[in-house]
Amino acid sequence: AQTVTQSQPEMSVQEAETVTLSCTYDTSENNYYLFWYKQPPSRQMILVIRQEAYKQQNATENRFSVNFQKAAKSFSLKISDSQLGDTAMYFCAFVDHNNNDMRFGAGTRLTVKP
Amino acid sequence: DTGVSQDPRHKITKRGQNVTFRCDPISEHNRLYWYRQTLGQGPEFLTYFQNEAQLEKSRLLSDRFSAERPKGSFSTLEIQRTEQGDSAMYLCASSGQTYEQYFGPGTRLTVT
């Protein structure tokens, strides 16, 4: 079974600092996709960044970047220059090439402090 | 494009009543997903459609749950004889040619 684990239930960071959220996953598949989603309080889930497993280059989207370690099945999210608006639950997610169902971790609650 | 929309946003019902939720996906997306999210947890997969065909259902989807997607457009999720354990946020997502899924705002169900 494919599982996603986020070992940090809560994290905090000072505004303008950098923070890294951890995620590990378990799968026997070789072709899959990984995502980080952001869910602000009482608001809908927003896609932050995606990574294709067949790509060795780590994905980046502005202040957001990932460290994808396929052999270690690790997929961490780095947020640079943290902003107050980054305060949210962050979910790591996995889907295989069949795209039938997305598996989510339990989430990390990130608080950016002024 | 207005994104994925869901209706209603909130629903309070008494135990034993039936409820129906609607999801309108992004117009060009052929895949539509339903998830359930309880407080403090990540979404859990319920079912998914490719066009009008329901291709997979989770074991979480008991006989009291049914989903449809007539004509491959909007979808409905019905829960019959609701139980207090059904209280949760029900999320809909859609995807097109790529693998990312785009989520709607959800329907929060409270069963009293």
Side-chain angles (χ1 to χ4, degrees):
Chain A
Q2 295 147 345
T3 58
V4 179
T5 302
Q6 293 179 251
S7 59
Q8 305 152 315
E10 293 190 25
M11 293 192 71
S12 63
V13 63
Q14 292 295 133
E15 195 175 7
E17 299 289 304
T18 295
V19 65
T20 299
L21 309 183
S22 302
C23 173
T24 57
Y25 59 94
D26 187 24
T27 183
S28 58
E29 298 282 342
N30 191 50
N31 187 12
Y32 53 87
Y33 301 80
L34 295 162
F35 306 89
W36 279 97
Y37 282 88
K38 167 186 177 182
Q39 189 174 40
S42 301
R43 296 183 62 185
Q44 70 191 77
M45 196 94 67
I46 302 165
L47 177 66
V48 174
I49 198 166
R50 61 174 274 175
Q51 175 78 44
E52 295 88 342
Y54 61 84
K55 289 187 177 179
Q56 291 188 343
Q57 186 173 6
N58 289 324
T60 62
E61 286 288 342
N62 301 313
R63 298 183 294 108
F64 299 88
S65 61
V66 299
N67 183 3
F68 173 48
Q69 301 289 329
K70 190 172 183 179
K73 296 180 181 175
S74 170
F75 183 61
S76 61
L77 174 70
K78 185 171 82 171
I79 305 174
S80 303
D81 185 26
S82 298
Q83 300 176 359
L84 296 178
D86 295 334
T87 292
M89 283 289 286
Y90 285 81
F91 292 99
C92 178
F94 167 103
V95 68
D96 67 24
H97 63 94
N98 293 315
N99 202 14
N100 290 347
D101 65 283
M102 190 171 280
R103 303 297 177 96
F104 289 82
T108 296
R109 184 178 302 279
L110 176 68
T111 302
V112 180
K113 299 180 178 179
Chain B
D1 190 349
T2 57
V4 179
S5 62
Q6 292 187 245
D7 184 70
R9 296 290 304 276
H10 303 275
K11 178 70 176 179
I12 300 174
T13 191
K14 292 184 177 180
R15 185 165 55 93
Q17 297 294 305
N18 299 343
V19 294
T20 301
F21 310 140
R22 176 180 170 126
C23 171
D24 287 87
I26 293 171
S27 57
E28 64 268 25
H29 285 180
N30 61 342
R31 291 177 178 239
L32 185 147
Y33 306 81
W34 285 99
Y35 293 86
R36 182 174 71 186
Q37 185 179 24
T38 53
L39 201 61
Q41 298 297 316
E44 296 175 293
F45 169 78
L46 292 177
T47 189
Y48 110 94
F49 293 84
Q50 181 160 329
N51 300 312
E52 67 274 12
Q54 187 174 17
L55 296 185
E56 189 162 332
K57 293 192 290 186
S58 162
R59 60 177 175 78
L60 295 175
L61 212 66
S62 76
D63 291 345
R64 297 183 297 105
F65 288 70
S66 63
E68 295 182 343
R69 193 183 182 197
K71 301 179 183 178
S73 56
F74 71 92
S75 176
T76 58
L77 178 68
E78 180 183 17
I79 309 175
Q80 295 182 329
R81 305 181 303 281
T82 52
E83 302 172 356
Q84 286 189 323
D86 296 332
S87 294
M89 178 76 84
Y90 289 84
L91 298 172
C92 177
S94 69
S95 71
Q97 299 301 315
T98 57
Y99 285 83
E100 56 262 32
Q101 296 180 18
Y102 294 89
F103 285 81
T107 294
R108 182 170 296 284
L109 172 66
T110 302
V111 181
T112 62

PDB file of all heavy atoms in Angstrom, chain B residues 90-109:
ATOM      1  N   TYR B  90     -16.344  17.356   2.914  1.00  0.00           N
ATOM      2  CA  TYR B  90     -16.330  16.546   1.696  1.00  0.00           C
ATOM      3  C   TYR B  90     -15.765  17.412   0.570  1.00  0.00           C
ATOM      4  O   TYR B  90     -16.324  18.450   0.220  1.00  0.00           O
ATOM      5  CB  TYR B  90     -17.729  16.017   1.385  1.00  0.00           C
ATOM      6  CG  TYR B  90     -18.126  14.961   2.390  1.00  0.00           C
ATOM      7  CD1 TYR B  90     -18.683  15.326   3.612  1.00  0.00           C
ATOM      8  CD2 TYR B  90     -17.880  13.611   2.142  1.00  0.00           C
ATOM      9  CE1 TYR B  90     -18.997  14.359   4.570  1.00  0.00           C
ATOM     10  CE2 TYR B  90     -18.188  12.650   3.087  1.00  0.00           C
ATOM     11  CZ  TYR B  90     -18.738  13.033   4.302  1.00  0.00           C
ATOM     12  OH  TYR B  90     -19.039  12.089   5.249  1.00  0.00           O
ATOM     13  N   LEU B  91     -14.642  16.962   0.049  1.00  0.00           N
ATOM     14  CA  LEU B  91     -13.914  17.719  -0.964  1.00  0.00           C
ATOM     15  C   LEU B  91     -14.077  17.069  -2.338  1.00  0.00           C
ATOM     16  O   LEU B  91     -14.058  15.843  -2.461  1.00  0.00           O
ATOM     17  CB  LEU B  91     -12.422  17.772  -0.629  1.00  0.00           C
ATOM     18  CG  LEU B  91     -12.038  18.471   0.674  1.00  0.00           C
ATOM     19  CD1 LEU B  91     -10.557  18.252   0.959  1.00  0.00           C
ATOM     20  CD2 LEU B  91     -12.332  19.950   0.595  1.00  0.00           C
ATOM     21  N   CYS B  92     -14.188  17.904  -3.320  1.00  0.00           N
ATOM     22  CA  CYS B  92     -14.220  17.469  -4.711  1.00  0.00           C
ATOM     23  C   CYS B  92     -12.987  18.035  -5.403  1.00  0.00           C
ATOM     24  O   CYS B  92     -12.546  19.156  -5.093  1.00  0.00           O
ATOM     25  CB  CYS B  92     -15.488  17.973  -5.380  1.00  0.00           C
ATOM     26  SG  CYS B  92     -15.619  17.584  -7.137  1.00  0.00           S
ATOM     27  N   ALA B  93     -12.425  17.262  -6.312  1.00  0.00           N
ATOM     28  CA  ALA B  93     -11.272  17.720  -7.077  1.00  0.00           C
ATOM     29  C   ALA B  93     -11.429  17.259  -8.520  1.00  0.00           C
ATOM     30  O   ALA B  93     -12.157  16.301  -8.811  1.00  0.00           O
ATOM     31  CB  ALA B  93      -9.974  17.172  -6.492  1.00  0.00           C
ATOM     32  N   SER B  94     -10.775  17.949  -9.431  1.00  0.00           N
ATOM     33  CA  SER B  94     -10.793  17.511 -10.822  1.00  0.00           C
ATOM     34  C   SER B  94      -9.398  17.626 -11.404  1.00  0.00           C
ATOM     35  O   SER B  94      -8.549  18.382 -10.903  1.00  0.00           O
ATOM     36  CB  SER B  94     -11.796  18.315 -11.648  1.00  0.00           C
ATOM     37  OG  SER B  94     -11.397  19.654 -11.820  1.00  0.00           O
ATOM     38  N   SER B  95      -9.164  16.832 -12.431  1.00  0.00           N
ATOM     39  CA  SER B  95      -7.881  16.911 -13.136  1.00  0.00           C
ATOM     40  C   SER B  95      -8.099  16.658 -14.612  1.00  0.00           C
ATOM     41  O   SER B  95      -9.081  16.027 -15.014  1.00  0.00           O
ATOM     42  CB  SER B  95      -6.871  15.921 -12.561  1.00  0.00           C
ATOM     43  OG  SER B  95      -7.208  14.596 -12.883  1.00  0.00           O
ATOM     44  N   GLY B  96      -7.159  17.161 -15.401  1.00  0.00           N
ATOM     45  CA  GLY B  96      -7.271  17.011 -16.841  1.00  0.00           C
ATOM     46  C   GLY B  96      -6.165  16.136 -17.382  1.00  0.00           C
ATOM     47  O   GLY B  96      -6.008  14.997 -16.976  1.00  0.00           O
ATOM     48  N   GLN B  97      -5.357  16.684 -18.271  1.00  0.00           N
ATOM     49  CA  GLN B  97      -4.311  15.907 -18.913  1.00  0.00           C
ATOM     50  C   GLN B  97      -3.089  15.714 -18.037  1.00  0.00           C
ATOM     51  O   GLN B  97      -2.269  14.844 -18.298  1.00  0.00           O
ATOM     52  CB  GLN B  97      -3.900  16.590 -20.225  1.00  0.00           C
ATOM     53  CG  GLN B  97      -5.037  16.701 -21.233  1.00  0.00           C
ATOM     54  CD  GLN B  97      -5.594  15.348 -21.603  1.00  0.00           C
ATOM     55  OE1 GLN B  97      -4.864  14.397 -21.860  1.00  0.00           O
ATOM     56  NE2 GLN B  97      -6.922  15.220 -21.605  1.00  0.00           N
ATOM     57  N   THR B  98      -2.949  16.539 -17.022  1.00  0.00           N
ATOM     58  CA  THR B  98      -1.801  16.404 -16.124  1.00  0.00           C
ATOM     59  C   THR B  98      -2.257  15.763 -14.813  1.00  0.00           C
ATOM     60  O   THR B  98      -3.442  15.530 -14.610  1.00  0.00           O
ATOM     61  CB  THR B  98      -1.156  17.770 -15.842  1.00  0.00           C
ATOM     62  OG1 THR B  98      -2.150  18.646 -15.298  1.00  0.00           O
ATOM     63  CG2 THR B  98      -0.606  18.363 -17.127  1.00  0.00           C
ATOM     64  N   TYR B  99      -1.335  15.487 -13.939  1.00  0.00           N
ATOM     65  CA  TYR B  99      -1.634  14.677 -12.760  1.00  0.00           C
ATOM     66  C   TYR B  99      -2.071  15.477 -11.537  1.00  0.00           C
ATOM     67  O   TYR B  99      -2.547  14.909 -10.573  1.00  0.00           O
ATOM     68  CB  TYR B  99      -0.425  13.803 -12.424  1.00  0.00           C
ATOM     69  CG  TYR B  99      -0.281  12.640 -13.368  1.00  0.00           C
ATOM     70  CD1 TYR B  99       0.347  12.798 -14.598  1.00  0.00           C
ATOM     71  CD2 TYR B  99      -0.800  11.401 -13.043  1.00  0.00           C
ATOM     72  CE1 TYR B  99       0.452  11.737 -15.479  1.00  0.00           C
ATOM     73  CE2 TYR B  99      -0.687  10.326 -13.905  1.00  0.00           C
ATOM     74  CZ  TYR B  99      -0.072  10.501 -15.122  1.00  0.00           C
ATOM     75  OH  TYR B  99       0.026   9.443 -15.997  1.00  0.00           O
ATOM     76  N   GLU B 100      -1.886  16.778 -11.567  1.00  0.00           N
ATOM     77  CA  GLU B 100      -2.304  17.519 -10.378  1.00  0.00           C
ATOM     78  C   GLU B 100      -3.821  17.613 -10.324  1.00  0.00           C
ATOM     79  O   GLU B 100      -4.491  17.654 -11.351  1.00  0.00           O
ATOM     80  CB  GLU B 100      -1.686  18.923 -10.326  1.00  0.00           C
ATOM     81  CG  GLU B 100      -1.948  19.781 -11.537  1.00  0.00           C
ATOM     82  CD  GLU B 100      -0.795  19.759 -12.500  1.00  0.00           C
ATOM     83  OE1 GLU B 100      -0.114  18.715 -12.597  1.00  0.00           O
ATOM     84  OE2 GLU B 100      -0.551  20.788 -13.155  1.00  0.00           O
ATOM     85  N   GLN B 101      -4.337  17.624  -9.117  1.00  0.00           N
ATOM     86  CA  GLN B 101      -5.766  17.737  -8.900  1.00  0.00           C
ATOM     87  C   GLN B 101      -6.057  19.102  -8.289  1.00  0.00           C
ATOM     88  O   GLN B 101      -5.334  19.572  -7.413  1.00  0.00           O
ATOM     89  CB  GLN B 101      -6.249  16.619  -7.965  1.00  0.00           C
ATOM     90  CG  GLN B 101      -6.056  15.234  -8.577  1.00  0.00           C
ATOM     91  CD  GLN B 101      -6.511  14.115  -7.677  1.00  0.00           C
ATOM     92  OE1 GLN B 101      -7.271  14.317  -6.725  1.00  0.00           O
ATOM     93  NE2 GLN B 101      -6.056  12.911  -7.955  1.00  0.00           N
ATOM     94  N   TYR B 102      -7.141  19.699  -8.767  1.00  0.00           N
ATOM     95  CA  TYR B 102      -7.549  21.014  -8.304  1.00  0.00           C
ATOM     96  C   TYR B 102      -8.798  20.848  -7.451  1.00  0.00           C
ATOM     97  O   TYR B 102      -9.771  20.236  -7.896  1.00  0.00           O
ATOM     98  CB  TYR B 102      -7.787  21.942  -9.494  1.00  0.00           C
ATOM     99  CG  TYR B 102      -6.520  22.220 -10.253  1.00  0.00           C
ATOM    100  CD1 TYR B 102      -6.127  21.390 -11.302  1.00  0.00           C
ATOM    101  CD2 TYR B 102      -5.693  23.275  -9.906  1.00  0.00           C
ATOM    102  CE1 TYR B 102      -4.938  21.610 -11.982  1.00  0.00           C
ATOM    103  CE2 TYR B 102      -4.504  23.517 -10.585  1.00  0.00           C
ATOM    104  CZ  TYR B 102      -4.136  22.678 -11.617  1.00  0.00           C
ATOM    105  OH  TYR B 102      -2.959  22.897 -12.277  1.00  0.00           O
ATOM    106  N   PHE B 103      -8.744  21.406  -6.274  1.00  0.00           N
ATOM    107  CA  PHE B 103      -9.784  21.177  -5.291  1.00  0.00           C
ATOM    108  C   PHE B 103     -10.804  22.308  -5.227  1.00  0.00           C
ATOM    109  O   PHE B 103     -10.473  23.482  -5.442  1.00  0.00           O
ATOM    110  CB  PHE B 103      -9.160  20.993  -3.899  1.00  0.00           C
ATOM    111  CG  PHE B 103      -8.516  19.659  -3.722  1.00  0.00           C
ATOM    112  CD1 PHE B 103      -7.249  19.414  -4.217  1.00  0.00           C
ATOM    113  CD2 PHE B 103      -9.196  18.635  -3.079  1.00  0.00           C
ATOM    114  CE1 PHE B 103      -6.656  18.163  -4.070  1.00  0.00           C
ATOM    115  CE2 PHE B 103      -8.606  17.384  -2.922  1.00  0.00           C
ATOM    116  CZ  PHE B 103      -7.346  17.146  -3.426  1.00  0.00           C
ATOM    117  N   GLY B 104     -12.017  21.918  -4.884  1.00  0.00           N
ATOM    118  CA  GLY B 104     -13.050  22.885  -4.581  1.00  0.00           C
ATOM    119  C   GLY B 104     -12.989  23.303  -3.120  1.00  0.00           C
ATOM    120  O   GLY B 104     -12.154  22.798  -2.361  1.00  0.00           O
ATOM    121  N   PRO B 105     -13.875  24.204  -2.699  1.00  0.00           N
ATOM    122  CA  PRO B 105     -13.858  24.706  -1.328  1.00  0.00           C
ATOM    123  C   PRO B 105     -14.397  23.725  -0.302  1.00  0.00           C
ATOM    124  O   PRO B 105     -14.217  23.917   0.893  1.00  0.00           O
ATOM    125  CB  PRO B 105     -14.746  25.953  -1.392  1.00  0.00           C
ATOM    126  CG  PRO B 105     -15.667  25.675  -2.531  1.00  0.00           C
ATOM    127  CD  PRO B 105     -14.883  24.868  -3.524  1.00  0.00           C
ATOM    128  N   GLY B 106     -15.065  22.664  -0.763  1.00  0.00           N
ATOM    129  CA  GLY B 106     -15.577  21.658   0.154  1.00  0.00           C
ATOM    130  C   GLY B 106     -16.983  21.948   0.647  1.00  0.00           C
ATOM    131  O   GLY B 106     -17.471  23.086   0.608  1.00  0.00           O
ATOM    132  N   THR B 107     -17.630  20.883   1.098  1.00  0.00           N
ATOM    133  CA  THR B 107     -18.921  20.976   1.787  1.00  0.00           C
ATOM    134  C   THR B 107     -18.715  20.425   3.190  1.00  0.00           C
ATOM    135  O   THR B 107     -18.328  19.265   3.355  1.00  0.00           O
ATOM    136  CB  THR B 107     -20.010  20.158   1.079  1.00  0.00           C
ATOM    137  OG1 THR B 107     -20.274  20.721  -0.205  1.00  0.00           O
ATOM    138  CG2 THR B 107     -21.288  20.150   1.915  1.00  0.00           C
ATOM    139  N   ARG B 108     -18.958  21.269   4.177  1.00  0.00           N
ATOM    140  CA  ARG B 108     -18.817  20.825   5.563  1.00  0.00           C
ATOM    141  C   ARG B 108     -20.140  20.266   6.040  1.00  0.00           C
ATOM    142  O   ARG B 108     -21.140  20.992   6.092  1.00  0.00           O
ATOM    143  CB  ARG B 108     -18.360  21.957   6.477  1.00  0.00           C
ATOM    144  CG  ARG B 108     -18.167  21.505   7.924  1.00  0.00           C
ATOM    145  CD  ARG B 108     -17.497  22.537   8.781  1.00  0.00           C
ATOM    146  NE  ARG B 108     -16.140  22.842   8.361  1.00  0.00           N
ATOM    147  CZ  ARG B 108     -15.077  22.066   8.573  1.00  0.00           C
ATOM    148  NH1 ARG B 108     -15.219  20.913   9.207  1.00  0.00           N
ATOM    149  NH2 ARG B 108     -13.884  22.441   8.155  1.00  0.00           N
ATOM    150  N   LEU B 109     -20.156  18.991   6.389  1.00  0.00           N
ATOM    151  CA  LEU B 109     -21.359  18.319   6.855  1.00  0.00           C
ATOM    152  C   LEU B 109     -21.288  18.131   8.361  1.00  0.00           C
ATOM    153  O   LEU B 109     -20.299  17.616   8.875  1.00  0.00           O
ATOM    154  CB  LEU B 109     -21.513  16.949   6.178  1.00  0.00           C
ATOM    155  CG  LEU B 109     -22.643  16.061   6.717  1.00  0.00           C
ATOM    156  CD1 LEU B 109     -24.001  16.690   6.406  1.00  0.00           C
ATOM    157  CD2 LEU B 109     -22.557  14.658   6.142  1.00  0.00           C
TER     158      LEU B 109
END
